[in-house]
């Protein structure tokens, strides 16, 4: 008797998701709680586990389809015998078969494209459409590439890196005319375009950022900070800190603590507008912007004002790992009263970050760069960082924004203030 696999609850206010990828195909054996599909929502990507052990007998939706919470997406049968593919799976398989009638140019390579060995068919069919296209366009063997994605799956970057590492350039794929293709075939040297549908996460990010620009009176103020004291403190205590707490001492812990201290003096930065009222928080839930494979996400460090350095660093490291693995949940990103974004890890010298609604402010960190500054009438070289505070001018006055940044600067340049609450 077959067991239905339903789309589980995905989080508060989330009623549907997009089936991003089937991780199993009909006929494959699955264990209880083993992921069989990846679902993308407005906030996170989640995996749907099999409720029982058995065989995936059929899939009821295609990749890219929108599915409501509670809908049946597949059925798990008993035993390990292979089952016939459903129309949805047949259509997907047809796009990977060079002789299939549903073939599209972006999934078709030249007649010399490498074919996976028989023992590697499962891995080949689990490639996402973007990865399959990259494999065929670059003429590489997917079975010879070590994947860096979740569970060892190949990513588009893995394929491109493998193609670049070859000594001889790959031959160009033979052009195949197809009017309905997403990527038009082109002759050597001819310019081409590619249309890729936005993911739900990227579309949500775009809408929220535009909403912030349309709603808030955005303004950014800047300051710079001498990082010498923090760098010296890290160099002096990093080994002892890691030995005691099992986590590295980073820069973010200092800035979270400094923000908590500054928010006590300037509570408007940690507040929000709700209709015609201002909501002040006596706690600091810091949204830390983290880069994930499918876009920027902002998990929340709750009650950061009452945490010590070790607790803050452990929370940040845990969220970073979950973002890389694609296991962040909607609950991880729920709420948040203030955001810190560190563009410096990517080399950014200066930026104007956009607030994360309904929050009223975001602190932007940037790269540390040695610059000449004047100290006691002498020009000296110091490791400097530009700070940017973008804020909603409807709620935060310019004086308050500048005061907040000055408090951050004072705490970073003299970390003792973080210990004695100054």
């Amino acid at each position: 008797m077959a067991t239905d696999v339903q789309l589980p609850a995905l989080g508060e206010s989330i009623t549907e998701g997009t089936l991003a990828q089937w991780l199993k195909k009909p006929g494959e054996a699955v264990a209880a709680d083993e992921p069989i599909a990846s679902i993308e929502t407005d906030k996170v990507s989640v995996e749907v586990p099999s409720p029982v052990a058995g065989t995936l007998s059929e899939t009821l939706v295609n990749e890219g389809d929108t599915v409501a919470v509670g809908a049946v997406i597949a059925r798990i049968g008993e035993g390990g015998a292979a089952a016939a593919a459903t129309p949805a799976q047949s259509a997907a398989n047809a796009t990977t078969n060079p002789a299939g009638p549903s073939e599209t140019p972006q999934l078709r390579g030249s007649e010399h494209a490498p074919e996976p060995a028989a023992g590697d068919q499962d891995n080949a069919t689990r490639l996402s459409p973007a990865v399959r296209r990259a494999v065929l366009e670059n003429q590489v063997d997917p079975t010879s590439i070590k994947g860096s994605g979740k569970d060892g799956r190949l990513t588009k970057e893995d394929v491109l890196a493998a193609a670049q590492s070859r000594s001889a350039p790959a031959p160009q794929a033979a052009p195949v005319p197809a009017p309905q293709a997403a990527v038009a075939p082109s002759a050597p040297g001819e310019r081409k375009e590619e249309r890729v549908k936005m993911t739900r996460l990227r579309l949500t990010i775009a809408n929220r950022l535009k909403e912030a620009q349309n709603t808030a009176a955005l303004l950014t103020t800047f300051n710079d900070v001498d990082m010498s004291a923090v760098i010296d403190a890290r160099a002096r205590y990093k080994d002892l800190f890691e030995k005691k707490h099992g986590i590295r001492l980073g820069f973010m812990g200092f800035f979270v603590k400094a923000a908590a201290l500054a928010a006590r003096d300037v509570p408007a930065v940690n507040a929000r507008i709700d209709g015609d009222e201002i909501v002040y928080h006596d706690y600091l839930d810091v949204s830390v912007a983290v880069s994930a494979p499918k876009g920027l996400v902002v998990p929340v460090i709750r009650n950061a004002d009452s945490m010590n350095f070790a607790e803050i660093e452990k929370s940040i490291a845990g969220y970073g790992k979950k973002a890389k693995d694609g296991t962040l949940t909607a609950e991880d990103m729920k709420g948040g009263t203030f955001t810190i974004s560190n563009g410096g890890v990517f080399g950014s010298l200066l930026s104007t970050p956009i607030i994360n609604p309904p929050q009223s402010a975001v602190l932007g960190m940037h790269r540390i760069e040695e610059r000449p500054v004047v100290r006691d009438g002498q020009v000296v070289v110091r490791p400097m960082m530009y700070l940017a505070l973008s804020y909603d001018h409807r709620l935060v006055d310019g004086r308050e924004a500048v005061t907040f940044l000055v408090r951050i600067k004072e705490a970073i340049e003299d970390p003792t203030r973080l210990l004695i609450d100054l």
Side-chain angles (χ1 to χ4, degrees):
M1 180 178 179
T3 301
D4 290 343
V5 181
Q6 295 179 316
L7 185 65
L10 302 172
E12 184 180 355
S13 76
I14 300 178
T15 60
E16 62 182 18
T18 299
L19 199 146
Q21 182 181 6
W22 283 108
L23 306 180
K24 290 287 185 178
K25 62 180 181 179
E28 286 190 328
V30 295
D33 296 325
E34 181 179 7
I36 63 171
S38 175
I39 300 292
E40 189 176 81
T41 73
D42 294 344
K43 299 180 179 179
V44 293
S45 293
V46 297
E47 292 182 338
V48 180
S50 172
V52 296
T55 300
L56 180 61
S57 58
E58 58 178 331
T59 57
L60 304 179
V61 295
N62 292 305
E63 292 183 354
D65 287 352
T66 298
V67 188
V69 170
V72 178
I73 63 172
R75 291 190 174 91
I76 305 296
E78 298 178 354
T86 63
Q89 184 64 30
S90 298
N93 289 341
T95 63
T96 63
N97 181 359
S102 302
E103 180 180 25
T104 55
Q106 68 269 27
L107 298 181
R108 178 177 181 176
S110 70
E111 60 183 359
H112 302 293
E115 294 292 338
D120 298 313
Q121 289 296 325
D122 289 349
N123 291 333
T125 55
R126 291 174 63 181
L127 299 179
S128 68
V131 175
R132 286 199 299 268
R133 181 168 61 250
V135 166
L136 294 174
E137 288 180 348
N138 291 278
Q139 301 293 289
V140 296
D141 182 1
T143 63
S144 65
I145 307 172
K146 183 178 180 180
S148 63
K150 185 174 177 59
D151 298 328
R153 290 196 288 272
L154 287 183
T155 66
K156 183 177 179 180
E157 289 72 21
D158 295 333
V159 176
L160 296 179
Q164 293 175 357
S165 66
R166 295 184 306 186
S167 58
Q172 295 292 326
V176 180
Q180 299 179 353
V183 180
S186 58
E190 183 181 349
R191 299 189 304 173
K192 60 181 181 179
E193 296 179 348
E194 178 181 4
R195 290 182 180 269
V196 179
K197 186 177 180 180
M198 294 177 71
T199 64
R200 292 176 66 93
L201 178 59
R202 173 51 59 186
L203 187 60
T204 299
I205 292 173
N207 291 336
R208 285 180 61 83
L209 294 180
K210 191 57 183 174
E211 174 192 351
Q213 287 185 320
N214 292 340
T215 303
L218 289 177
L219 188 62
T220 304
T221 187
F222 304 94
N223 211 322
D224 61 358
V225 57
D226 187 341
M227 296 293 293
S228 298
V230 169
I231 291 174
D232 290 344
R234 290 183 70 231
R236 185 181 305 176
Y237 299 113
K238 65 179 181 179
D239 293 336
L240 289 174
F241 186 88
E242 186 170 2
K243 182 178 180 180
K244 180 176 181 179
H245 300 291
I247 191 72
R248 295 180 60 187
L249 178 61
F251 290 115
M252 186 63 79
F254 288 91
F255 280 93
V256 171
K257 295 291 288 184
L261 195 65
R264 295 177 187 175
D265 292 341
V266 189
V269 172
N270 189 41
R272 61 184 172 87
I273 293 178
D274 185 9
D276 59 354
E277 298 178 332
I278 300 175
V279 180
Y280 291 96
H281 308 285
D282 65 352
Y283 54 87
L284 182 72
D285 286 352
V286 179
S287 302
V288 180
V290 176
S291 179
K294 295 185 179 180
L296 195 70
V297 292
V298 280
V300 179
I301 303 175
R302 307 188 191 283
N303 299 312
D305 53 315
S306 62
M307 285 184 171
N308 59 38
F309 278 88
E311 292 170 333
I312 292 172
E313 294 294 348
K314 287 179 180 179
S315 295
I316 295 172
Y319 282 139
K321 185 177 185 303
K322 293 177 72 173
K324 182 179 180 181
D325 295 341
T327 57
L328 281 172
T329 66
E331 188 65 26
D332 291 332
M333 293 181 285
K334 179 181 177 182
T337 62
F338 180 75
T339 295
I340 299 179
S341 177
N342 185 7
V345 297
F346 305 109
S348 172
L349 177 65
L350 192 62
S351 67
T352 56
I354 300 178
I355 65 173
N356 181 22
Q359 298 173 20
S360 62
V362 52
L363 176 68
M365 299 167 54
H366 301 89
R367 78 170 184 252
I368 300 172
E369 183 177 65
E370 289 192 340
R371 293 198 296 272
V373 295
V374 178
R375 295 289 184 267
D376 299 324
Q378 300 293 322
V379 177
V380 295
V381 176
R382 291 287 187 269
M384 304 296 293
M385 175 193 288
Y386 286 118
L387 297 179
L389 182 74
S390 292
Y391 56 98
D392 188 347
H393 211 346
R394 298 177 303 165
L395 174 58
V396 182
D397 293 331
R399 176 184 61 84
E400 293 175 310
V402 172
T403 300
F404 183 87
L405 267 189
V406 170
R407 294 290 180 270
I408 297 285
K409 176 182 174 71
E410 292 172 342
I412 295 300
E413 292 186 342
D414 184 8
T416 304
R417 290 174 173 269
L418 299 176
L419 301 178
I420 60 178
D421 196 18
L422 283 179

